[in-house]
Amino acid sequence: MMPPIHVLVVDDEDVVCSNVIAFLEDEGFDVVSASSGEKALDIIASKKFDVGIMDMRLPGIDGNTLILKSHELQPDMKFLIHTGSTNYNLPRALTDIGLSENNIFQKPLIDMGVLVDAIQKLVKGNNI
């Protein structure tokens, strides 16, 4: 049996966060959440994650900064962006660490199965 995939969900909207967590847990993932980038970095410093699902608009540090700092702490961690911003543009610093437009998911997701597929592809080392 495969070990569980460890996922960190960072979102300051409680409803969004709890829905994503419940769905991923039902799919067999080990999920931890944080409501801010600062809390997420504290968690990342003490636990290994395979994938982070990051909101972009967060209190305190923003999602782009959070991804870069998380990547410094855990270079093998992969990232998905889960944003409500329709005009979000991926900055060069994130493409430099391997993210592409395919890593971006718009809220609200009608079918959260796309997150499951994306997580599994990232963990296997495939592009999304």
Side-chain angles (χ1 to χ4, degrees), residues 29 80 105 111-122 128:
F29 296 101
L80 297 174
F105 294 87
D111 174 13
M112 281 200 259
V114 296
L115 286 180
V116 172
D117 292 343
I119 291 167
Q120 290 171 335
K121 286 178 182 171
L122 285 174
I128 302 172

Side-chain angles (χ1 to χ4, degrees), residues 13-99:
E13 294 177 67
D14 290 341
V15 172
V16 172
C17 203
S18 58
N19 285 340
V20 172
I21 291 166
F23 185 83
L24 294 178
E25 285 178 342
D26 284 350
E27 294 292 321
F29 296 101
D30 174 44
V31 188
V32 175
S33 68
S35 57
S36 73
E38 290 81 359
K39 288 178 185 166
L41 290 172
D42 287 344
I43 294 167
I44 290 168
S46 64
K47 180 174 166 55
K48 185 178 183 322
F49 290 94
D50 299 299
V51 178
I53 300 176
M54 310 299 199
D55 187 12
M56 289 295 101
R57 284 190 238 147
L58 295 165
I61 64 172
D62 69 358
N64 293 329
T65 305
L66 172 58
I67 290 172
L68 292 171
K69 288 181 180 291
S70 300
H71 179 70
E72 287 173 21
L73 291 169
Q74 293 193 26
D76 294 334
M77 188 174 174
K78 307 290 188 215
F79 301 96
L80 297 174
I81 293 169
H82 191 217
T83 183
S85 176
T86 53
N87 58 356
Y88 174 75
N89 291 312
L90 200 59
R92 175 76 191 264
L94 295 188
T95 59
D96 287 349
I97 62 167
L99 276 79

